[in-house]
Amino acid sequence: MRSYVSAEPPSSRAYNDLWADAQLELSRILAEEQPAEQPQPQKDRVVFFQRVAMLYVRYIQILRKLQKAHELIIHPQKRRAIRKVIDSVMGRVVELKNEMVEKEFLEYHYMDDILHDMKLTPDKLEIPLPQYFPNDHSKEVQERKAMLMKIFKMVEATESLEPSTEKEMTQEEAIRVIQVAERARQGRMRSKLYEESREASLRSTNAGIESTELAAICIQKVWRGYIQRKKTKIERVKELIALGMVMDPKYLAPRPAEVALLAAEACTRLKQQEHEAAYQKAVVAVTIQLREMEGNNMSNTLKSQVREWFFKCRNVTGSFPDYPDEEDGGSAFIFAEKSPQQVLEEIAAKEDEASSNKSRGKEEQKEKRKPDKKMIDEQEEAGLKMHPSAFLSDLEGADKTFNDFWRSRDETENLSQKHDVELIKEERRKVVEDEIRVQVDEQMRQELAELKLSVDKDKGGKTKANTKKKKGSKSGKKKKKEKDLTADRTLESLCQELVEQGLLKQANDVRLQDYLGDFNYLGTTLRQNDIEPMPSLSDVRQVISLYAILPLGSQVVHEKAPLIKSILLVGPEGAGKKMLVHAVCQETGATLFDLSPLNTAGKYPGKSGLAMMVHVVFKVARLLQPSVIWIGDAEKMFYKKVPKEEKELDPKRLKKDLPKSLKLIKGEDRVLIIGTTEDPMSADIKSMCKMYNKILLIPRPDYGSRYIMWKELINQKGGETTKALDLSSLAKISDGYTPGHMVKAIQSVVTERRIRQQGSRPLTAAEFVTPLARIDPVFQEQEEALKNWYAKTPLGRKRVKAATGKEEEQPPVKGKGAKKKT
């Protein structure tokens, strides 16, 4: 299948083969998704879910291969072709996730049985995140980001120069500090005197008793015991290595082949940068060359074609036509392989549709609202079908491009894998044509107006008036744009104002992989035994990747995939909600805005100030997209009853304005609102669910996740996990504690002094018990309260209805009777 005729370097050939393997699997899966005969609707919900889940897992494996090839192929045009496929595959994965959510009424899904059938490990289910997301911005956005970093540094410098407002020490505090220092000095002196007196007494008692022989025997006994214990320990480790229970230490250090591979990958990335810079220079040079060499010919041919169309239309209809607007494509609309009569008919039809759209729109909305239940019943009776995809056509086009062009391409003369100038010419020629077309359209519009005036002298005034009316009518039909309250201000001044007010912040340096958690290995097994499993922290990572990172990182995915404007993270204290917000910003290079009720309290007072704050935040968020607007303590905005101590803060001030601004977010605006809450029960659930598209319940970690966390967090802090540290018991007794609780316990135990003592006194599990005991865990009542609240959300209610419906459908006679009654 692979026909790369090449004397390429082995590494390039291997990565090209990896790309070819991914494309081959993609062509197979496309053939399954779009068969010649449409499959019949599936009535069994479980079978339908298994089919969608299998496609989901297979697309993730294709995405892994494509991303690996994109990271290591150095040919700039190949990387762009792969990038298009990656965007479409990511979009298809998001679509399939949406299908599973709609059919199973759950945000978290368990596919351990599918992994077992496909012989894959759980880590293969992780969503691979492209490394180019954080830096994948246009030049304008990069300049804006650089400007934002300067503002952050400037504000930090001004804050550091401000005089400190530390309180002076009182006389009582000074006396207490002196007392503590004096008592410590006296204690050190007493211990020193005690040691000196003890040594003197030992010398006086043992001076005449101990001889050299007894001393030698004592030393020998200690030394031989130490040597024997050391030998026994070595023999035990060898035995465990032979049995395969302990890894050989030589495998812990990186092997020479691994070091060489890392060095080769680093060299490959440097070559990528060099080839990319050369490609960008070539694009500019080729564009200038095309404008100079072919620009006049393009302009003349376009003008002659447009003039020919003028007179053809006049011969057919008896009058000169109206020139298509820029919105319709200008002269490109004329040459879409249509006759003059067809073009005129389409223009007239568009005008008629525009006039009748308003009257039809209201009636269609009413009709759509009424038959929701009937449509659902018909779909259930007919069976389950997958929604039409917005990415399958793109994937088919990319697959065809690869098979027709890249698969059979001869690259024997391009050993260095640099760009192809002919390909650049083909791509840039279209761009230059579009630029010239705009100029030609302006000239031909004037020429058409002159023709109408000269040839149709009697109708010249009327046609002018008609064109003015049409233009006026079109402009009148456009939707009113949002008023720009800060049109006279620069972006830099707005950013500086938001940074000074604390509404625009720098995201912490945290990655999604730092959100530790294990896979749920028994999800399907528990489901088969009618036990609903709790999602693992690995499931949370996957959902955050699909709902937040992929749409924010890719403009194509955000525009075509199901639009998610807002996400609510619900979980106990320390579950890692804020960490996930910062991880989303770091993985996508997004700008972070903080509209938490406590952070906005006292800022921009009054109704006009509130409107200005929301306007400025959303305006800057669009200009610096991708952007994340974080709302901490989201329940405060929707309080059922505001507590007395918080009435002065006015936490509900954004309740009306924020949803209005949320509705204005469109597919081209990569802006995401993420709310976090620990106590959703205190909020009005209806208004909160209207605000957030997705509500994710973050659980406390299970045993496997806790084991990984203890090990990794202790190592990150500088501790050593030896045999003396029983991680299994520590993970068992810490059931109910969140990652935040574990971090606090580790910080209190693994101090700098304790790290220095590890050589003589290794860490033990008992040391972490005391700090854990001082922290209240997540009690069962609190967890059940969050589950009950989630069951009242729209998706939770659907899940409950589906579960009860299944139970009722088991006896067939009762099910039929129930349908008749309804």
Side-chain angles (χ1 to χ4, degrees):
M1 293 296 291
R2 305 185 194 100
S3 55
Y4 283 107
V5 181
S6 70
E8 301 172 51
S11 59
S12 298
R13 196 180 312 127
Y15 303 139
N16 286 330
D17 290 346
L18 184 64
W19 181 21
D21 288 339
Q23 289 288 158
L24 180 62
E25 179 62 23
L26 182 61
S27 61
R28 289 173 182 167
I29 202 170
L30 287 173
E32 292 179 18
E33 283 216 74
Q34 293 184 324
E37 297 181 1
Q38 290 186 354
Q40 294 182 353
Q42 181 59 248
K43 294 184 178 180
D44 190 343
R45 192 176 290 273
V46 176
V47 175
F48 181 83
F49 176 80
Q50 288 291 324
R51 179 175 178 272
V52 176
M54 184 70 76
L55 290 172
Y56 173 81
V57 176
R58 289 173 65 186
Y59 270 113
I60 289 177
Q61 306 318 307
I62 293 171
L63 185 59
R64 284 182 171 279
K65 291 181 180 179
L66 289 171
Q67 286 192 12
K68 187 68 175 176
H70 181 270
E71 288 174 12
L72 298 173
I73 283 178
I74 59 177
H75 195 295
Q77 289 153 312
K78 286 183 183 178
R79 296 182 78 236
R80 277 164 173 75
I82 296 171
R83 170 68 189 279
K84 291 180 181 178
V85 187
I86 288 175
D87 285 338
S88 299
V89 172
M90 288 191 300
R92 187 58 185 149
V93 169
V94 175
E95 284 182 339
L96 291 172
K97 175 66 177 179
N98 188 57
E99 289 277 356
M100 292 189 289
V101 171
E102 288 186 359
K103 300 304 182 291
E104 206 177 23
F105 309 118
L106 284 173
E107 298 290 357
Y108 301 105
H109 310 287
Y110 307 100
M111 305 175 191
D112 43 310
D113 56 337
I114 295 174
L115 293 178
H116 184 268
D117 294 340
M118 296 180 70
K119 298 180 180 179
L120 296 172
T121 53
D123 61 299
K124 299 298 181 184
L125 203 59
E126 291 281 347
I127 306 297
L129 302 177
Q131 294 183 359
Y132 55 78
F133 270 0
N135 301 318
D136 185 33
H137 305 303
S138 63
K139 289 183 179 179
E140 293 181 0
V141 175
Q142 287 178 356
E143 290 173 1
R144 291 170 183 170
K145 297 278 184 183
M147 175 265 296
L148 188 59
M149 294 304 297
K150 288 181 182 178
I151 292 173
F152 279 128
K153 291 178 181 177
M154 183 178 66
V155 172
E156 286 178 4
T158 54
E159 288 178 355
S160 61
L161 292 173
E162 289 179 359
S164 59
T165 56
E166 295 180 1
K167 295 181 180 179
E168 294 183 358
M169 187 181 292
T170 61
Q171 186 177 1
E172 293 179 356
E173 290 174 347
I175 292 170
R176 194 176 297 114
V177 170
I178 294 170
Q179 286 176 345
V180 169
E182 180 60 24
R183 286 169 184 165
R185 188 189 66 80
Q186 291 178 5
R188 288 193 295 271
M189 291 296 295
R190 279 196 295 269
S191 63
K192 187 177 179 181
L193 291 171
Y194 175 75
E195 286 294 329
E196 289 176 356
S197 62
R198 186 169 175 272
E199 288 176 5
S201 62
L202 287 172
R203 287 172 190 165
S204 61
T205 53
N206 296 332
I209 300 171
E210 288 187 355
S211 62
T212 55
E213 291 182 0
L214 291 173
I217 291 169
C218 184
I219 292 169
Q220 286 175 356
K221 184 169 44 173
V222 173
W223 176 251
R224 286 173 181 172
Y226 168 74
I227 290 296
Q228 189 58 44
R229 285 192 297 273
K230 192 173 181 180
K231 287 181 180 178
T232 305
K233 187 177 180 180
I234 292 169
E235 292 297 327
R236 178 174 173 76
V237 171
K238 286 181 180 178
E239 184 181 0
L240 291 173
I241 291 171
L243 294 172
M245 298 176 69
V246 175
M247 185 179 287
D248 196 336
K250 67 181 180 181
Y251 296 120
L252 296 175
R255 307 294 292 167
E258 294 176 352
V259 175
L261 179 63
L262 293 174
E265 289 183 358
C267 181
T268 299
R269 289 188 175 88
L270 289 174
K271 285 184 181 179
Q272 279 181 358
Q273 295 174 3
E274 293 174 2
H275 288 193
E276 181 66 25
Y279 173 77
Q280 294 294 344
K281 290 179 182 178
V283 167
V284 175
V286 168
T287 305
I288 295 170
Q289 184 183 2
L290 287 172
R291 284 174 186 155
E292 293 174 353
M293 301 294 292
E294 302 180 15
N296 291 329
N297 292 334
M298 289 180 186
S299 178
N300 293 331
T301 52
L302 277 173
K303 286 178 181 178
S304 62
Q305 288 173 357
V306 172
R307 287 192 190 100
E308 186 180 353
W309 180 75
F310 288 164
F311 291 103
K312 278 184 180 179
C313 288
R314 189 171 184 272
N315 293 333
V316 172
T317 62
S319 62
F320 285 109
D322 293 330
Y323 207 91
D325 295 330
E326 292 181 7
E327 297 174 357
D328 298 329
S331 57
F333 182 74
I334 300 171
F335 305 114
E337 297 181 1
K338 295 174 184 176
S339 64
Q341 188 67 30
Q342 288 175 336
V343 173
L344 291 171
E345 287 175 0
E346 284 192 9
I347 293 172
K350 280 188 178 181
E351 291 176 358
D352 294 337
E353 284 179 8
S355 61
S356 61
N357 273 343
K358 288 184 178 179
S359 58
R360 289 180 184 175
K362 294 180 181 178
E363 295 176 1
E364 286 178 359
Q365 285 178 2
K366 289 179 181 177
E367 288 176 1
K368 283 180 182 178
R369 288 174 186 172
K370 289 179 181 178
D372 283 344
K373 293 182 179 178
K374 293 181 180 178
M375 290 291 288
I376 291 168
D377 294 337
E378 287 176 5
Q379 285 177 2
E380 289 181 353
E381 290 176 4
L384 298 171
K385 287 184 179 180
M386 293 178 67
H387 296 299
S389 172
F391 295 96
L392 286 179
S393 59
D394 297 340
L395 288 172
E396 284 183 344
D399 188 52
K400 185 179 179 182
T401 303
F402 175 79
N403 291 324
D404 295 346
F405 184 78
W406 291 109
R407 185 186 291 278
S408 57
R409 186 172 175 77
D410 185 4
E411 296 194 325
T412 52
E413 296 180 0
N414 189 14
L415 298 180
S416 59
Q417 291 291 290
K418 291 186 176 180
H419 59 269
D420 188 346
V421 178
E422 294 301 321
L423 279 178
I424 297 175
K425 284 183 179 179
E426 289 179 12
E427 293 172 358
R428 300 306 297 178
R429 189 173 281 114
K430 296 176 183 178
V431 177
V432 174
E433 281 181 3
D434 292 337
E435 291 175 359
I436 293 173
R437 189 184 298 279
V438 174
Q439 299 172 4
V440 169
D441 286 347
E442 292 178 0
Q443 296 172 5
M444 297 311 293
R445 280 193 185 92
Q446 295 176 359
E447 187 174 327
L448 179 62
E450 292 173 1
L451 283 171
K452 286 182 178 181
L453 286 171
S454 60
V455 177
D456 303 327
K457 291 182 180 179
D458 298 336
K459 300 178 181 180
K462 292 181 182 178
T463 53
K464 248 186 177 180
N466 288 337
T467 54
K468 285 180 184 177
K469 282 180 184 177
K470 283 177 185 176
K471 286 181 183 178
S473 63
K474 281 190 179 181
S475 61
K477 286 171 189 174
K478 289 181 182 178
K479 293 181 180 178
K480 292 182 180 179
K481 293 184 179 179
E482 185 186 4
K483 289 183 180 179
D484 191 355
L485 303 176
T486 55
D488 57 338
R489 295 186 58 183
T490 61
L491 175 62
E492 186 174 358
S493 66
L494 294 174
C495 290
Q496 187 170 352
E497 179 183 328
L498 291 176
V499 172
E500 289 172 354
Q501 292 290 336
L503 301 179
L504 181 55
K505 297 183 175 180
Q506 274 185 301
N508 297 337
D509 189 11
V510 177
R511 297 286 179 176
L512 191 65
Q513 63 185 5
D514 298 330
Y515 189 77
L516 304 171
D518 201 7
F519 181 75
N520 193 339
Y521 297 94
L522 299 174
T524 307
T525 307
L526 292 172
R527 281 268 182 87
Q528 291 171 354
N529 294 317
D530 297 329
I531 301 172
E532 188 62 33
M534 283 295 290
S536 66
L537 300 187
S538 174
D539 299 324
V540 176
R541 282 201 306 271
Q542 293 176 32
V543 173
I544 292 294
S545 299
L546 292 168
Y547 289 165
I549 295 176
L550 296 188
L552 281 178
S554 171
Q555 185 71 41
V556 176
V557 176
H558 197 272
E559 289 181 358
K560 293 186 176 182
L563 184 59
I564 297 172
K565 299 181 180 180
S566 53
I567 300 172
L568 179 65
L569 304 179
V570 182
E573 181 187 357
K577 302 181 290 298
K578 186 178 176 182
M579 179 183 179
L580 288 171
V581 174
H582 288 275
V584 170
C585 295
Q586 285 293 336
E587 294 290 354
T588 59
T591 313
L592 178 62
F593 298 85
D594 186 0
L595 286 183
S596 304
L598 296 179
N599 189 45
T600 57
K603 299 172 183 177
Y604 295 92
K607 289 185 178 180
S608 59
L610 182 63
M612 177 63 74
M613 178 180 70
V614 175
H615 168 76
V616 171
V617 167
F618 276 86
K619 179 181 178 179
V620 176
R622 286 189 180 93
L623 293 173
L624 295 177
Q625 61 178 297
S627 299
V628 172
I629 300 174
W630 173 47
I631 303 174
D633 298 326
E635 78 280 355
K636 296 181 184 294
M637 194 182 297
F638 304 98
Y639 265 145
K640 296 175 184 175
K641 186 178 180 182
V642 181
K644 292 180 180 179
E645 60 272 13
E646 295 185 17
K647 282 186 178 180
E648 295 181 359
L649 302 176
D650 193 12
K652 297 174 70 173
R653 62 194 298 238
L654 283 169
K655 184 179 179 180
K656 292 182 180 179
D657 289 353
L658 197 61
K660 290 178 183 177
S661 300
L662 183 64
K663 290 179 182 178
L664 299 175
I665 296 176
K666 299 177 182 177
E668 59 269 18
D669 302 325
R670 285 189 289 166
V671 179
L672 179 66
I673 295 178
I674 303 180
T676 57
T677 177
E678 301 169 11
D679 183 24
M681 289 76 73
S682 61
D684 180 22
I685 190 169
K686 288 185 179 180
S687 54
M688 183 179 274
C689 292
K690 285 180 183 178
M691 170 79 180
Y692 295 99
N693 300 126
K694 294 289 182 180
I695 299 175
L696 305 178
L697 184 62
I698 300 179
R700 56 185 175 83
D702 55 7
Y703 171 80
S705 298
R706 293 195 301 273
Y707 186 92
I708 292 173
M709 282 179 189
W710 281 116
K711 185 177 181 180
E712 294 296 330
L713 292 174
I714 289 172
N715 288 333
Q716 287 176 12
K717 191 65 178 175
E720 295 178 3
T721 52
T722 60
K723 291 181 180 179
L725 181 58
D726 191 354
L727 291 174
S728 180
S729 299
L730 194 56
K732 190 70 176 174
I733 64 172
S734 58
D735 186 12
Y737 290 94
T738 61
H741 297 156
M742 295 181 192
V743 170
K744 288 180 182 178
I746 292 169
Q747 287 175 348
S748 62
V749 173
V750 187
T751 59
E752 293 182 3
R753 181 184 178 188
R754 187 67 184 86
I755 291 170
R756 292 195 295 268
Q757 295 174 351
Q758 286 183 111
S760 57
R761 189 164 63 92
L763 289 170
T764 60
E767 296 179 65
F768 297 93
V769 174
T770 304
L772 277 178
R774 297 194 188 103
I775 304 171
D776 290 332
V778 179
F779 295 105
Q780 191 70 25
E781 294 80 5
Q782 185 180 355
E783 190 174 1
E784 290 298 326
L786 289 174
K787 286 182 183 178
N788 294 334
W789 178 86
Y790 186 77
K792 297 176 184 177
T793 61
L795 193 65
R797 288 200 304 269
K798 288 180 182 178
R799 178 65 184 172
V800 172
K801 287 180 182 178
T804 54
K806 285 179 182 178
E807 291 175 2
E808 290 174 4
E809 286 175 6
Q810 284 176 1
V813 179
K814 292 182 180 178
K816 288 178 183 177
K819 282 183 181 179
K820 286 179 182 178
K821 287 177 184 178
T822 55

